[in-house]
Amino acid sequence: MSTRAALVDEPALFETSRWDLTELVSPSAEDPLADQLAALDRAVAAFEAHRAELSPSLGGCRLLELTRELDAVWERLAVVESFALLRFSADTQSAAALSDQGKVQQAVMNARNRLLFFEVWWQSLSDEEAAALEPDPALEPDQHFFLAELRRRRAHMLDEKSEQIIILKDTDGMEGLITLYTMLTNRMEFVFETPRGTERLNRDELMGYVYAEDAGLRAAAYRELLGAYQREAPALAQIYAHRVRDWTNEQVGLRGFSSPIGARNFGNDVPDEAVETLLGVCRDHAALFHRFFRLKARWLGLPKLARYDVYAPISGRDREIPYDPGVRMVLDVFERFHPLFSHHARRVFDERHIDSELRRGKRTGAFCATVTPKLTPWVLTNYTGRLRDVTTLAHELGHAVHSMLAAGHNLHGQRASLPLAETASVFAEMLITEHLLAEEEDVATKRYLLSSTIDSIFAAVLRQAYFVCFEIEAHRAVLEGASWEDLNRLYFANLQDQFGDSVELPGEFEAEWLSIPHLFHTPFYCYAYSFGQLLVLALYRRYQEEGESFKPTYLRLLSRGGSARPTEILQEAGVDLSDPAFWRLGFEVIAEMIAELEATFTS
């Protein structure tokens, strides 16, 4: 009997639910959040009282005591911050939840500013003074790494007063300007002719039509979206120019990074040459996706895809998978990979740390929130019973498993750095996708699943890498006085390189860059998506080749969390980030998927 039949026939074990947050705040308290904020303030004040003791003669034992106390303060801060986020995510229409989130954000900013003195003091010590105080790496590895990380940032840190000014400046200056970008773009309404008639849509509603089967709807949706951003181009581009200059003035001018992207690489703790290699390999393999676009055009009966059609669904059938069979399928696939995977994932359900039901006011999408090493992560998903919901559930539970495997570290050591953050989640998604493909007997459904998976990989790998390539050019151009029209032309040239002759590019796409929030919010962030996806695809290739012998290495990688530098963690797993051959392994997996999709066209 197939897994599908077995899961459907068994009695239901899981029902959609909302999560329980009582582990974060006491439900018996009259005002639990106020109590938590007061306790946080007291903990910060108690740590501030140690300022006078800080000196080169502090002593190694006392330094360890202080770092452990600081850990406890950071954990308290994480609990308060997470409670506000999770409560608001469960009901975004709650005025009380929104108000409390504002209070928490202010309290967290204040706490971080007050705790900054310890980091500044530690970085002010000479190398000899710091070495005399540092703990033995073999005895206190997490504390040693935390202190070493603070020292690593030393060359780019300013004095305490300057750092505090930057925090205040960012909060009420640049962050305020980025908030203005968000307000301007989120208030956009789009008048659109839907199959039901003329409607006023928000962006999310409008973008749903770029996946429509009707080519006219896809094109009209993009024209409506890009036309709105083009009309606002002078204002939005001005915000972007200020963002670019502020970033360069702080990161290059004040902190001394060699380039604007170098600051992001340093924050991610990834060598510049590794990022350059990653971006280069992505550009070298653009033709692989061109092959996919030509295949999709042939299936859609088009001589060539237009950019409107890149995410067009090819004919096929989605499959309904109710919640209970979907959960048990994921847990079963996890169990077959390794019992620890299913054990940790099951904890999320057993401890009621998942919010899976559909309801008005709940945040859309899905995420996993790791709070502290002592607590099982919380997972949010909106389960509608489609194939993509099963892969999304596997993805978010993969994040949770990653955190729990790394729970033996302190707060800073548990959380993987940004480039490694998707190492378990995308891998879990690959496991469930492989299972679904192996079980699926209907060719049309298999074609649908393969095509949508490759669509997602394109969006996560090539598209994100090209965003960063554009940013590198755009930052240089802004500093040279480029206008918004110049930036439009730069972006259009970027698209031409990305799609080659496989996709027709309508002129209105030159303004698309204005609609990408990450370019404004977090410069050069997007390569982390390419990094994470290709890293996992390459690791998955090794799993396919090595089988059981791969698993201990992989579990060791996940258990390290963020307790060492990414290059060190990956070197232990036999990965050289600067070797193009490693990144090419990921593209081998993509090529096989495209070949498998091609086979469904002839079967």
Side-chain angles (χ1 to χ4, degrees), residues 155-158 162 166 169 247-257:
H156 302 290
M157 287 291 289
L158 308 176
S162 296
I166 286 175
K169 180 269 295 181
W247 181 268
T248 300
N249 288 339
E250 178 184 335
Q251 305 300 342
V252 178
L254 295 178
R255 299 195 184 279
F257 290 103

Side-chain angles (χ1 to χ4, degrees), residues 11 500 601:
F601 282 74

Side-chain angles (χ1 to χ4, degrees), residues 265-515:
N265 298 343
F266 183 86
N268 290 339
D269 199 3
V270 177
D272 291 345
E273 57 270 22
V275 175
E276 291 169 7
T277 299
L278 168 67
L279 295 177
V281 171
C282 286
R283 294 181 73 162
D284 290 344
H285 286 79
L288 186 60
F289 290 101
H290 300 170
R291 171 180 158 196
F292 171 61
F293 296 141
R294 292 188 183 99
L295 180 67
K296 180 179 276 193
R298 191 173 44 153
W299 184 257
L300 294 173
L302 300 171
K304 179 187 288 191
L305 287 187
R307 176 58 185 83
Y308 310 125
D309 306 316
V310 164
Y311 298 116
I314 61 175
S315 297
R317 290 188 287 276
D318 200 350
R319 182 173 129 202
E320 289 190 21
I321 303 180
Y323 184 68
D324 176 72
V327 172
R328 285 188 286 139
M329 180 187 295
V330 172
L331 294 178
D332 180 63
V333 169
F334 281 13
E335 176 72 24
R336 278 185 277 143
F337 177 72
H338 198 284
L340 275 176
F341 261 59
S342 58
H343 169 74
H344 288 312
R346 184 69 184 249
R347 283 170 51 187
V348 175
F349 298 94
D350 292 344
E351 297 177 27
R352 296 171 59 205
H353 281 208
I354 187 164
D355 194 320
S356 54
E357 69 180 20
L358 300 172
R359 61 180 183 273
R360 290 185 63 83
K362 179 183 171 183
R363 175 173 165 171
T364 59
F367 68 84
C368 174
T370 294
V371 182
T372 77
K374 302 181 183 70
L375 297 170
T376 296
W378 275 262
V379 168
L380 179 142
T381 184
N382 287 274
Y383 198 92
T384 65
R386 315 312 304 175
L387 273 173
R388 63 180 177 271
D389 295 315
V390 181
T391 56
T392 297
L393 180 63
H395 182 105
E396 300 307 335
L397 289 173
H399 278 302
V401 169
H402 194 171
S403 292
M404 286 184 270
L405 286 171
H409 301 288
N410 64 10
L411 183 69
H412 299 284
Q414 179 189 30
R415 298 181 178 182
S417 64
L418 185 62
L420 299 185
E422 302 296 329
T423 310
S425 56
V426 176
F427 196 92
E429 201 173 338
M430 291 294 297
L431 287 172
I432 199 72
T433 298
E434 184 180 69
H435 169 80
L436 288 166
L437 288 169
E439 285 245 315
E440 189 54 62
E441 297 174 355
D442 181 75
V443 173
T445 303
K446 180 175 286 192
R447 183 186 299 126
Y448 177 91
L449 180 58
L450 275 168
S451 180
S452 60
T453 299
I454 299 167
D455 280 341
S456 297
I457 292 174
F458 161 73
V461 176
L462 199 69
R463 181 168 162 83
Q464 303 300 325
Y466 269 89
F467 282 153
V468 176
C469 293
F470 166 71
E471 284 186 277
I472 292 170
E473 291 296 312
H475 275 240
R476 175 195 55 75
V478 167
L479 296 176
E480 293 175 357
S483 66
W484 63 267
E485 293 99 332
D486 294 329
L487 295 178
N488 277 3
R489 285 189 286 272
L490 267 181
Y491 184 74
F492 199 74
N494 175 280
L495 289 178
Q496 290 172 319
D497 187 39
Q498 180 179 166
F499 290 104
D501 64 357
S502 68
V503 173
E504 181 184 339
L505 292 171
E508 58 261 35
F509 276 89
E510 69 176 7
E512 185 188 28
W513 68 275
L514 293 163
S515 71

Side-chain angles (χ1 to χ4, degrees), residues 44-111:
V44 172
F47 191 80
E48 282 183 298
H50 301 309
R51 182 191 282 262
E53 333 178 24
L54 300 182
S55 74
S57 59
L58 179 68
C61 291
R62 183 58 178 152
L63 176 63
L64 281 176
E65 290 174 358
L66 291 180
T67 57
R68 294 190 194 107
E69 182 178 341
L70 184 58
D71 279 347
V73 178
W74 282 116
E75 285 200 12
R76 189 178 292 277
L77 188 151
V79 167
V80 173
E81 194 170 26
S82 297
F83 172 73
L85 168 68
L86 297 175
R87 183 185 177 204
F88 179 70
S89 297
D91 185 2
T92 63
Q93 302 306 301
S94 168
L98 180 60
S99 174
D100 284 348
Q101 191 174 45
K103 293 176 188 175
V104 167
Q105 287 172 342
Q106 188 65 31
V108 167
M109 182 193 72
N110 179 53

Side-chain angles (χ1 to χ4, degrees), residues 11-24:
L13 299 174
F14 300 94
E15 296 181 355
T16 58
S17 60
R18 65 172 64 203
W19 50 34
D20 180 359
L21 302 180
T22 54
E23 286 181 78
L24 297 176

